[in-house]
Amino acid sequence: MTSFMDMALAEARAAAEGGEVPVGCVIVRRGEVIARAGNRTLADRDPTAHAELIAIRAAAARLRSERLDDCDLYVTLEPCVMCAGAVAFARIRRLYYGAADPKGGAVDNGVKFFAAPSCHHRPQVYGGLAEGEASALLKDFFRERR
């Protein structure tokens, strides 16, 4: 059986095949995948086209609601501050991420967005899922570009 993080990793691999930074995301509601995406910043010429934002937009459209409070988000890389903000505004219930991002992450690294007093919604956070595979995807991608 394929896990939700495996699906997010598949999205990350597909993004890498398109020349994008390999980050993938899946949003789940009541055990059903309702949205999935990989990074599309280059393809869309949009610096906000991170996997999380694309998936959140798709899930909100599908549910016809800006609130995703009964949804869980699986992503292969610790979200940046922009994506952490979107997770909070969407009221995502649980956030699962793969690789930590000491430079750009904003959940357990950097600004620690959800710990800030100004953060109005804090999802349950679980880091390190399939961390080895998620990290290897990123390292291989950047190694090939150097």
Side-chain angles (χ1 to χ4, degrees):
M1 181 174 161
T2 302
S3 75
F4 297 128
M5 187 55 80
D6 288 335
M7 292 177 194
L9 286 162
E11 291 294 327
R13 285 189 289 276
E17 288 172 14
E20 302 280 356
V21 174
V23 177
C25 179
V26 173
I27 296 180
V28 177
R29 180 178 184 230
R30 298 181 189 144
E32 176 190 357
V33 174
I34 61 167
R36 57 192 309 159
N39 272 0
R40 294 186 47 92
T41 59
L42 299 175
D44 292 357
R45 302 285 185 244
D46 179 357
T48 70
H50 290 196
E52 300 96 308
L53 287 172
I54 296 166
I56 287 170
R57 289 176 186 138
R62 180 167 176 184
L63 298 179
R64 296 186 180 136
S65 175
E66 74 284 3
R67 300 287 186 243
L68 304 176
D69 53 5
D70 59 349
C71 295
D72 300 333
L73 187 147
Y74 293 78
V75 64
T76 58
L77 181 65
E78 178 183 356
C80 69
V81 70
M82 174 180 67
C83 293
V87 165
F89 281 110
R91 308 282 202 286
I92 296 288
R93 177 178 57 180
R94 293 185 196 105
L95 166 66
Y96 299 89
Y97 72 83
D101 187 355
K103 287 185 179 179
V107 176
D108 290 321
N109 289 287
V111 300
K112 298 180 178 156
F113 187 85
F114 301 127
S118 58
C119 181
H120 62 280
H121 173 77
R122 293 166 182 84
Q124 295 172 29
V125 176
Y126 304 92
L129 273 75
E131 182 174 18
E133 189 173 352
S135 181
L137 273 172
L138 288 157
K139 287 177 184 173
D140 292 348
F141 177 82
F142 287 111
R143 185 180 310 114
E144 290 174 11
R145 285 178 171 48
R146 290 186 188 127

